[in-house]
Amino acid sequence: QVQLVEAGGGLVQAGGSLRLSCAASGRTFSRYTMGWFRQAPGKEREFVAAISTSGTVTYYLDSVKGRFTISRDNAKNALYLQMNSLKPEDTAVYYCAADTTAILTRRAADYDYWGQGTQVTVSS
């Protein structure tokens, strides 16, 4: 029912900024909790941020608090991740995901739909 497509990844230097977007198809986007995850080579997929259906409640990985901001525009069926003060440790493939249960969660297994991912590389 839902297809997700990420965009906005690229190569940036440490301290720089990048804005990721996720375009969603379907009629019920506004009913889903949305999240961002990332995965670096040789590491497990890691939760980054999640946002409630209305966009009023958010949750972040401790290491990105104060640097990353998750947001959504339900009128456009779009999800965003603004990343500031980027560090080399942020280098990974970033994925957007949708949870049809509409409950804020950081467990990857709770999310039902996934995008293909977009590469973010941060150099020193």
Side-chain angles (χ1 to χ4, degrees):
Q1 294 183 353
V2 179
Q3 291 79 48
L4 305 173
V5 181
E6 301 96 337
L11 174 63
V12 298
Q13 58 185 1
S17 297
L18 206 60
R19 191 191 194 206
L20 306 183
S21 64
C22 174
S25 66
R27 303 175 180 176
T28 55
F29 173 78
S30 63
R31 301 178 187 175
Y32 303 153
T33 292
M34 298 296 296
W36 286 99
F37 291 78
R38 66 188 183 186
Q39 187 166 23
K43 296 183 65 178
E44 293 290 317
R45 184 164 44 186
E46 178 182 46
F47 169 81
V48 177
I51 188 167
S52 63
T53 56
S54 65
T56 59
V57 183
T58 58
Y59 186 73
Y60 296 92
L61 176 68
D62 284 346
S63 64
V64 308
K65 287 182 179 178
R67 299 190 298 120
F68 291 9
T69 302
I70 186 172
S71 62
R72 68 191 296 163
D73 186 341
N74 288 342
K76 295 182 177 181
N77 275 25
L79 176 74
Y80 306 97
L81 185 67
Q82 178 66 46
M83 304 185 293
N84 299 325
S85 302
L86 283 163
K87 304 175 180 179
E89 305 93 277
D90 296 317
T91 295
V93 176
Y94 283 70
Y95 300 89
C96 67
D99 172 21
T100 60
T101 70
I103 299 174
L104 275 182
T105 176
R106 63 181 179 181
R107 294 182 66 246
D110 289 334
Y111 288 81
D112 305 293
Y113 300 100
W114 295 82
Q116 292 297 310
T118 185
Q119 177 71 49
V120 172
T121 302
V122 184
S123 62
S124 300

